[in-house]
Amino acid sequence: MKKERKMRQLADYSESGCRDSFQVLANGIVVYVACLLLVYDCSMQLRQLNFLAQYNCSLYYLVAISAICCSCGDTWASEIGTAIGSETPRLITTFRAVPAGTNGAVSMSGLIGSALGGLFIGTVAFISLGTDFWDYQTGADLILFGTLAGVLGSAVDSVLGAVFQYSGMDQRDMKVTNEPTACSVHISGYPILSNNSVNLLASILTSAVIMPKIALALRLFEA
């Protein structure tokens, strides 16, 4: 979206937008593991999306879905926030105003983007389950679950990026860079994790830790 604008803001912007194998693995490994567990423990038979009736099988399915929502929500937040957001983004850890493209920067348009990304995946997941699962309660729970996973996954990714990824302003072209150099002025974070590592950690924390607890706390998938 609006690649010319992003090229002006980001020093490491790739015009092709292609994902390499490491990016695919970082964003997809949790989904792969959850699906393998669903096959091994449940013979790929999800008869009910219900914690009370099929706890393990429902959990594996929801871990996979929330991991996808996390990745989609973060991507939509970045794309929409960077490309069309008009407000000044703020660092999620301090709420200090920072340049667009800074790791850990958030904005209202990005927040809406993350919610839409999760909503989209939640809706697609509900439709793809098939007519046996098409009831109001399952649909409402799954769409709410997906939306929350998109928002919270993006937020977790932003916190990790703000702390463990370096962001600086390259004084030569005044673009945000992720690599500390003699010509860059520090904005936030430390050069500890790569973007792929942040994506992987955010996916694990969101899908395997945060969202199952939220689903149980809100009593989703118990009807």
Side-chain angles (χ1 to χ4, degrees), residues 8-195:
R8 292 195 302 268
Q9 296 172 341
L10 305 174
D12 59 351
Y13 173 69
S14 173
E15 188 172 357
S16 68
C18 295
R19 303 288 185 178
D20 60 35
S21 57
F22 292 105
Q23 290 173 312
V24 173
L25 184 63
N27 286 282
I29 187 64
V30 174
V31 183
Y32 305 149
V33 172
C35 289
L36 286 175
L37 289 171
L38 188 60
V39 171
Y40 175 77
D41 198 17
C42 310
S43 301
M44 209 60 184
Q45 296 297 316
L46 184 65
R47 294 183 297 275
Q48 290 181 304
L49 189 55
N50 189 304
F51 281 134
L52 300 180
Q54 271 193 302
Y55 180 83
N56 284 353
C57 301
S58 298
L59 179 63
Y60 301 148
Y61 177 81
L62 292 172
V63 165
I65 292 300
S66 56
I68 299 173
C69 290
C70 172
S71 298
C72 187
D74 181 58
T75 299
W76 284 35
S78 298
E79 291 294 318
I80 293 174
T82 302
I84 66 175
S86 58
E87 70 273 35
T88 300
R90 296 185 176 276
L91 197 65
I92 193 170
T93 51
T94 64
F95 296 103
R96 171 170 56 91
V98 291
T102 300
N103 291 309
V106 294
S107 64
M108 184 55 66
S109 55
L111 178 65
I112 294 172
S114 67
L116 290 175
L119 175 66
F120 172 74
I121 297 299
T123 303
V124 171
F126 173 61
I127 295 172
S128 65
L129 278 173
T131 54
D132 289 344
F133 293 84
W134 285 3
D135 62 82
Y136 172 80
Q137 193 61 56
T138 299
D141 286 356
L142 193 51
I143 290 172
L144 174 60
F145 181 85
T147 304
L148 291 175
V151 173
L152 293 175
S154 178
V156 171
D157 190 282
S158 295
V159 171
L160 292 172
V163 177
F164 298 113
Q165 281 185 280
Y166 175 89
S167 292
M169 181 64 72
D170 193 317
Q171 298 302 292
R172 295 168 296 184
D173 52 15
M174 300 307 293
K175 293 181 179 180
V176 175
T177 178
N178 293 327
E179 299 294 333
T181 67
C183 299
S184 65
V185 176
H186 179 264
I187 298 174
S188 64
Y190 300 94
I192 298 174
L193 297 177
S194 67
N195 191 60

